Amino acid sequence: MKKKLLLLSFFAASAFVVKAQETPADPPLEISGSVDTYYKYDFSKHSNIPTSFASDQNSISIGMIDLALKKKVGKASFVGELSFGPRGQSQSLPNADGNYDETVNSYHIQNLYVSYDVTDQFNLTGGYMATFMGYEVISPVGNFNYSTSYLFTNGPFQNPGFKATYTFSDKASLMAGIFNDSWNLYQSVSKVNTFGAQLMVAPVEGWTAYINLLTGKLSGTEIDLTTSYQITDAFKLGLNAADFSAADVVGTGGFSGIALYPQVAVSKDVTLGVRGEYFKTKDGSYLTYGPQPGSSVTSFTFTANIKGGPLTFIPEIRFDNNKSENDGFFKSGAVPTKNASQFVLAAVYAF
Amino acid sequence: MDESNKYVYYKIVDKPGLSIDTLYQRAIYAADKLGLQYENVESDAVHSVFGKDKLIVYSGSSIMRKASGEIAYKLDMETKDSKYRYKIYDFVFTPYKRDRFNNMVAEPGIFIPIEELASKYGKKDADAYLDQLGLFCKTTGDKIKVYIDKAQVIKKLETTKKVDTDKW
């Protein structure tokens, strides 16, 4: 016979409860964000690796303070996300004139968009939005590794535009949108003619895959696969693969690459992970943040995430190996070399 | 706790004079009103409605309050002549994370039985989520009672009080 013991302790609270399917009261203005700081030491005694953030050699430096506001009333919502600091200004955002310039003030805007749920399945969103492409993001809270991949650094950061998303079920959704002619800028160069689309599928529980396309006469064409699979409670495997071809008016060439992200939780508060990346530049005139056109780089980053409440410590060691000595790495004394390595210790507080 | 040491919210309610079919139809009505995904099964002795759904739980307060996870649950209602019972059980927590567009979304593939919450997230967070779940279970139980009783909600008309501004 079953015991009929009720959870009397449950009744003590006077907390907020919202049932998913019922119409809840409109939530208040939400504030969230993060702050991050880091120390980096490149073993050649100067900065070598050209990917984003963690840029300062032998320095205790700051990333950014990221402040995000969100409000939803009924079916309408907005997000405004401001960032201050090198990571949140000249390293990821242009100024009003479209340049990445450390010496003058910037707009500080990471996200600024409005959104409307036409139905439970159909949503319209417009404004200046973080890109839907790729595995890694600007916010350090959204990444496992603190340094970033070549695929991230060379892909778009933001795409201003207008998009419509239809959610078929928990297992599939489709987004299509029209975006400004150039990535990342707060305004178009002259047209709104970049087409973007994203198909999301979740074939099995814990596995999500995003197939992304972004193509335009000025922005070029990037096809991207971003997927992650939580295979067990402790083990997660992520993958990002992309191919980019520059627009004819910009030049010839582009890049392609693949990155794998296996991660294993060894305890409640500690997760270990590796990022292994192969990044290849195509022959042509288009220059990347990476090796010269027609070359390649292989990179391995070993990272730990050690959590203490909302604070995460991220020690990381990274080894990059270019195909050629002439691809941009130098030993101390400015001697060209194929190899670069660095150590980073970062701290990220999320709120 | 039930016999498997799992949290359960469980009640048996006597409804003298009401047939199994009447209570069964009212249980289906309750499942619809609660927005459950459900299936209903009839046997000779017992008619049943097996439902499931999720609730969102929050951390923080005021403007720092944000959705921090969702708890999936099952809700079964079984009817016999002159009584019914329901139980809310099989609670599984999935944490939320902030995505690139600043929305809080479920982390795919993470499913934590609420009995293990404290060992995964610490006592403070676990207690906060359990408090919210407890309140939700009580509220849902109250709603089931209303739906199955088919209680009429009579709105009391309030007359607007008027003042005579000419007299002062």
Side-chain angles (χ1 to χ4, degrees), chain A residues 13-49:
Chain A
S14 58
F16 296 98
V17 176
V18 175
K19 171 83 172 47
Q21 280 69 24
E22 292 180 347
T23 304
D26 292 324
L29 180 70
E30 292 177 33
I31 297 180
S32 60
S34 65
V35 299
D36 63 297
T37 181
Y38 69 94
Y39 170 80
K40 181 182 90 166
Y41 187 81
D42 188 299
F43 296 104
S44 66
K45 298 187 172 67
H46 64 94
S47 288
N48 254 324
I49 296 171

Side-chain angles (χ1 to χ4, degrees), chain A residues 6 19 21 70 113 268, chain B residues 10 53 100-101 103 119:
Chain A
L6 303 182
K19 171 83 172 47
Q21 280 69 24
K70 180 179 181 181
Y113 66 82
K268 177 169 74 78
Chain B
Y10 179 70
D53 205 351
R100 64 188 68 200
F101 306 114
N103 298 309
S119 63

Side-chain angles (χ1 to χ4, degrees), chain B:
Chain B
M1 293 283 192
D2 66 8
E3 59 272 61
S4 307
N5 288 321
K6 307 280 278 185
Y7 285 122
V8 62
Y9 186 89
Y10 179 70
K11 266 192 177 177
I12 300 173
V13 182
D14 291 323
K15 297 299 289 181
L18 291 181
S19 71
I20 181 172
D21 288 329
T22 300
L23 290 171
Y24 177 55
Q25 292 305 320
R26 291 183 182 185
I28 291 173
Y29 171 75
D32 282 330
K33 294 292 286 183
L34 290 168
L36 300 177
Q37 286 182 280
Y38 67 90
E39 56 184 41
N40 38 313
V41 178
E42 298 176 38
S43 67
D44 289 343
V46 181
H47 294 355
S48 306
V49 177
F50 302 115
K52 63 180 181 180
D53 205 351
K54 295 170 182 173
L55 76 136
I56 298 168
V57 289
Y58 294 82
S59 59
S61 59
S62 188
I63 58 172
M64 298 306 290
R65 173 179 172 250
K66 60 174 76 72
S68 53
E70 63 186 28
I71 297 176
Y73 63 88
K74 292 179 179 171
L75 195 167
D76 294 349
M77 291 177 276
E78 293 179 305
T79 62
K80 290 184 175 180
D81 281 328
S82 301
K83 66 179 173 182
Y84 70 91
R85 69 175 182 176
Y86 65 86
K87 66 174 179 177
I88 312 172
Y89 67 109
D90 201 10
F91 303 106
V92 179
F93 177 77
T94 294
Y96 279 5
K97 64 176 180 180
R98 195 173 71 149
D99 71 6
R100 64 188 68 200
F101 306 114
N102 204 49
N103 298 309
M104 301 304 289
V105 296
E107 284 195 52
I110 305 285
F111 305 103
I112 300 163
I114 59 158
E115 295 78 12
E116 299 172 17
L117 267 182
S119 63
K120 297 276 187 183
Y121 292 97
K123 191 173 183 308
K124 185 181 173 189
D125 286 340
D127 285 349
Y129 299 151
L130 288 175
D131 285 347
Q132 292 174 62
L133 178 60
L135 186 61
F136 167 79
C137 287
K138 183 179 184 308
T139 305
T140 301
D142 292 344
K143 286 179 180 175
I144 290 171
K145 183 175 186 307
V146 169
Y147 296 142
I148 291 188
D149 285 352
K150 294 248 178 178
Q152 294 290 317
V153 179
I154 301 169
K155 286 186 179 176
K156 186 179 175 185
L157 291 175
E158 291 185 8
T159 54
T160 305
K161 188 177 180 183
K162 294 183 179 179
V163 294
D164 189 343
T165 56
D166 291 335
K167 297 177 182 175
W168 59 287

